[in-house]
Amino acid sequence: MKDDKQINGFSKRSKAEKLQWVIENFFNGHESAAGELRSFWLDDETQNIFDAFSENSISNFILPYGVAPNMLINGKTYCVPMVTEESSVVAAAAAAAKYWSTRGGIKATVVNTKKIGQVHFKWSGQTEKLISVFPELKKELIITASAITTNMDKRGGGILDIELKDLSDKEPDYYQLFTHFDTCDSMGANFINSVLEQFGRTLRLFIQTHPAFDETDREVDIIMCILSNYTPECLVKAEVSCTIDELGDECLEMDAVGFAERFATAIRIAEIDSYRATTHNKGIFNGIDAVVIATGNDFRAIEASGHTYAARSGIYKSLSKCTIKDNIFSFNLEIPLAIGTIGGLTKLHPIARHSLEMLGHPSAPELMTIIAATGLMQNFAAIRSLVTTGIQKGHMKMHLMNILNHLSATEQEIEQAFEYFSDKVISFTSVRELITEIREREHKIITD
Ligand code: MEV
């Protein structure tokens, strides 16, 4: 059923016309909403860049761009750019980075940078025939994709290996060309998908023409050609460690031994309970996504891969681990991160470009270490709060500030509110009541 809010040809309209149509149909024609959405438009040149990223845009949605300084990774100090809407995230990452910078910093190692792509196809011939000609097919696949792979080969990457997977026991006649890639400093999605689509064409022709097959074998159904966002071989590990004594600081509100034990218990809980593991890993992704977005990378791909990795044993578990052995506290995070530092948004988005500049134009493996280190710091900060003061103490300060900003509180009102709520529970109503009371008091003084 079509109602009067349906439209044909919306995408063909100009940006101004699109906005006008949305305002008329979904904002009751309120010009104030149009004005506000228009106020986030950028100058023509920059806006054109943003409009080319995604379709049907009517405005820009801005998010805070913060930095976590003092991130000491493998002996080098970074100032890490972070994009997030969540209060306390950047502050927590920065505090943990500072804390570990005086305890040896973060060590990070890239385990591997391989990526995976798959051609999913159906073929009803004899599996042995396909296996017997596969070495020949493999050569043909590589040769016919060479126009696409030449540049990547020159950069030291390209197709690493192609496997034939027989999955016909799970789905009738189902096979995969399971392909390993190295995409150097680019995320490589377009490269991988282009190669795979070429593989699909080559495979069809090969089966149609190769003498090993007879007429009944010549039909192949290429179901789809697409990279896998699960990249367990594009892996990085970040870790911190120190003696238990070194863990101590006055903000812990407990001794270092007690803290270390509570911390390790919290990590073990996230290894045995998937409800807790989900929140635990969400905290890690608070940091990871913020850097991934700030550097123009694909946070959905990173999240999808990270969560699959967390469930690789069949049970969804914590991505981080903690050990206490021989008086040494060690905390690490191992996570797949398929990111790029060239191509795509990394070049086109003006702020992403500056993020990479701020990080010293890292290679993709170096950026993997920075992102993993930030995730580790985020996780450390969250668990440290949870097992000591509780998470609300820090959160509530930011929450109070947000409410005060919403109520357009003056500097004096902010000061009074912070003092008043230093030992009270914060809620929107209680803050509004306090500000109203302060304002009424002030008003009375002026009028008396
Ligand atoms: C909030 O965004 C993230 C935390 O819930 C993470 C955690 O519980 O570990 C604090």
Side-chain angles (χ1 to χ4, degrees):
M1 207 184 78
K2 215 170 166 203
D3 64 23
D4 60 359
K5 303 242 191 257
Q6 300 267 324
I7 181 170
N8 286 327
F10 181 73
S11 65
K12 306 271 174 336
R13 296 191 177 197
S14 71
K15 187 183 193 71
E17 286 168 345
K18 284 182 190 128
L19 176 60
Q20 199 50 41
W21 183 84
V22 173
I23 294 294
E24 277 162 19
N25 287 278
F26 295 94
F27 287 88
N28 294 325
H30 285 152
E31 253 318 298
S32 60
E36 196 150 2
L37 288 169
R38 225 178 276 119
S39 73
F40 289 95
W41 288 8
L42 302 161
D43 63 85
D44 283 354
E45 200 185 327
T46 322
Q47 191 57 56
N48 284 341
I49 297 174
F50 279 81
D51 288 348
F53 295 161
S54 166
E55 307 74 30
N56 289 349
S57 75
I58 57 169
S59 187
N60 301 299
F61 186 102
I62 64 165
L63 288 172
Y65 179 70
V67 293
N70 303 312
M71 194 75 73
L72 181 62
I73 308 165
N74 297 337
K76 180 171 167 185
T77 299
Y78 297 88
C79 180
V80 180
M82 299 177 77
V83 171
T84 179
E85 87 302 344
E86 186 171 330
S87 47
S88 304
V89 163
V90 178
K98 184 86 197 292
Y99 176 91
W100 281 105
S101 71
T102 59
R103 290 163 176 82
I106 306 152
K107 313 260 176 310
T109 344
V110 171
V111 181
N112 216 327
T113 56
K114 280 189 210 164
K115 289 161 191 169
I116 300 296
Q118 297 160 299
V119 175
H120 305 265
F121 67 97
K122 283 204 160 194
W123 183 68
S124 57
Q126 285 174 323
T127 308
E128 302 75 54
K129 273 193 198 172
L130 200 51
I131 293 173
S132 70
V133 296
F134 186 64
E136 217 181 310
L137 171 62
K138 205 163 150 177
K139 275 193 201 136
E140 196 65 19
L141 291 167
I142 292 171
I143 291 168
T144 53
S146 63
I148 309 166
T149 57
T150 310
N151 276 342
M152 195 61 89
D153 291 342
K154 277 188 198 144
R155 282 158 50 198
I159 301 162
L160 299 177
D161 194 16
I162 312 167
E163 292 173 67
L164 174 68
K165 289 202 176 186
D166 173 10
L167 296 161
S168 53
D169 58 329
K170 298 199 169 64
E171 163 76 24
D173 305 332
Y174 172 42
Y175 297 86
Q176 286 181 7
L177 294 177
F178 190 89
T179 311
H180 303 254
F181 293 91
D182 181 348
T183 59
C184 301
D185 283 334
S186 61
M187 199 274 185
N190 279 331
F191 168 76
I192 294 176
N193 291 335
S194 302
V195 170
L196 295 172
E197 289 191 3
Q198 179 55 49
F199 279 7
R201 289 188 285 273
T202 304
L203 174 66
R204 180 176 294 115
L205 194 65
F206 186 88
I207 290 187
Q208 276 169 358
T209 55
H210 196 283
F213 304 112
D214 51 43
E215 286 319 304
T216 53
D217 293 335
R218 299 218 181 271
E219 272 300 304
V220 57
D221 188 3
I222 311 292
I223 304 290
M224 56 191 162
C225 308
I226 187 74
L227 63 75
S228 169
N229 283 121
Y230 183 40
T231 57
E233 289 189 287
C234 191
L235 200 64
V236 54
K237 189 171 176 180
E239 54 197 321
V240 285
S241 66
C242 67
T243 63
I244 304 245
D245 293 348
E246 282 174 306
L247 277 178
D249 80 17
E250 68 278 9
C251 308
L252 280 184
E253 297 180 16
M254 65 181 68
D255 65 42
V257 177
F259 167 69
E261 274 164 11
R262 289 173 68 80
F263 191 100
T265 307
I267 306 299
R268 282 199 303 280
I269 291 171
E271 281 174 43
I272 55 178
D273 178 67
S274 295
Y275 282 91
R276 174 56 205 151
T278 306
T279 316
H280 179 96
N281 289 342
K282 186 271 182 188
I284 294 173
F285 281 106
N286 276 345
I288 299 240
D289 286 353
V291 191
V292 169
I293 296 171
T295 54
N297 277 286
D298 180 345
F299 64 95
R300 286 88 55 212
I302 296 298
E303 286 258 358
S305 185
H307 294 302
T308 310
Y309 194 69
R312 67 193 182 284
S313 67
I315 298 169
Y316 186 91
K317 289 182 178 180
S318 161
L319 285 163
S320 60
K321 286 194 168 47
C322 178
T323 57
I324 300 172
K325 209 173 157 216
D326 301 333
N327 197 39
I328 300 290
F329 171 92
S330 302
F331 180 47
N332 72 64
L333 168 68
E334 194 183 78
I335 191 165
L337 289 175
I339 47 86
T341 53
I342 60 169
L345 228 58
T346 61
K347 271 262 148 33
L348 297 171
H349 195 297
I351 311 258
R353 258 199 330 258
H354 286 304
S355 294
L356 292 168
E357 192 181 341
M358 195 188 306
L359 295 170
H361 301 291
S363 62
E366 188 179 354
L367 183 58
M368 286 167 76
T369 64
I370 299 166
I371 297 173
T374 311
L376 182 72
M377 290 301 97
Q378 204 70 56
N379 192 214
F380 179 81
I383 305 306
R384 177 184 150 122
S385 294
L386 287 167
V387 302
T388 55
T389 55
I391 207 76
Q392 285 310 84
K393 197 174 171 187
H395 267 193
M396 277 306 162
K397 271 194 199 153
M398 297 290 269
H399 185 47
L400 176 57
M401 200 60 220
N402 284 341
I403 300 172
L404 291 167
N405 281 337
H406 181 84
L407 297 171
S408 306
T410 63
E411 254 176 57
Q412 262 181 341
E413 288 167 349
I414 291 172
E415 207 174 295
Q416 288 180 54
F418 268 90
E419 199 182 315
Y420 179 82
F421 282 107
S422 62
D423 57 356
K424 291 180 189 62
V425 175
I426 299 161
S427 71
F428 189 86
T429 313
S430 60
V431 179
R432 191 178 47 202
E433 277 170 8
L434 177 76
I435 296 297
T436 310
E437 200 186 301
I438 295 173
R439 287 177 185 170
E440 279 172 1
R441 224 184 299 137
E442 283 295 307
H443 183 70
K444 196 160 178 299
I445 292 169
I446 293 166
T447 51
D448 275 355

